[in-house]
Each structure stands twice: as structure tokens, then as C-alpha cells.
Amino acid sequence: VSNNKAQQKQLENTLLRELAGASGNILDNTELIATLDSCKTAAVEIEAKLEQAKITTEEISVARAKYVPAAKRGSILFFSMTGLSSLNP
């Protein structure tokens, strides 16, 4: 996820640098148009990956929530067993 966000930020910076450095009519600048097109394609791919990562994160959270009761019982059992050793040294 962080790599995709970093790549998205890098694309934005590249696009801004190209636009700032453009002179004259930007519609006649084929290099700028090619950069815009490649940035757009990459941004769509990155956005799809980020959306999939968001869905996966939600699925993991739901699955993790199912284990909370078992973890709670396990911690109670652990500390109960630990406490029993101090009753009869």
C-alpha cells in the first residue's frame, strides 16, 4: 500500500514538473501529452490496487475480530494458571 501511495505521489510530482516546464501551447507538446497519458494509465492501475488493498484490509479486520473472544479466554486462562503457581509455592 505504501509503495503504491509513494508511486502515486511520484507521478503527481512528475506531472507537475512537466506542466511547470511546458512552454507555449501545451496541446502541441507531444512529450507532455505522452507523459499525461502514461501518468493517467499508471494512476488508474494504482487506484485499482489501492481499492483492492482497502477491501483486503477490511476482510482481514473481519476475520481478526472473530478471534478476539478466543484470545480473551486464552489470556484469562494463561493468567489464571500463572496465578495458581503463586498460591502453592
Side-chain angles (χ1 to χ4, degrees), residues 8 11 37-50:
Q8 191 175 32
L11 286 173
D37 191 37
S38 66
C39 285
K40 180 181 175 184
T41 305
V44 168
E45 291 175 3
I46 291 170
E47 192 63 35
K49 289 178 184 177
L50 288 173

Side-chain angles (χ1 to χ4, degrees), residues 28-40:
D28 294 335
N29 190 342
T30 56
E31 183 179 325
L32 178 61
I33 292 174
T35 302
L36 286 170
D37 191 37
S38 66
C39 285
K40 180 181 175 184

Side-chain angles (χ1 to χ4, degrees), residues 6 76 82:
I76 291 170
T82 304

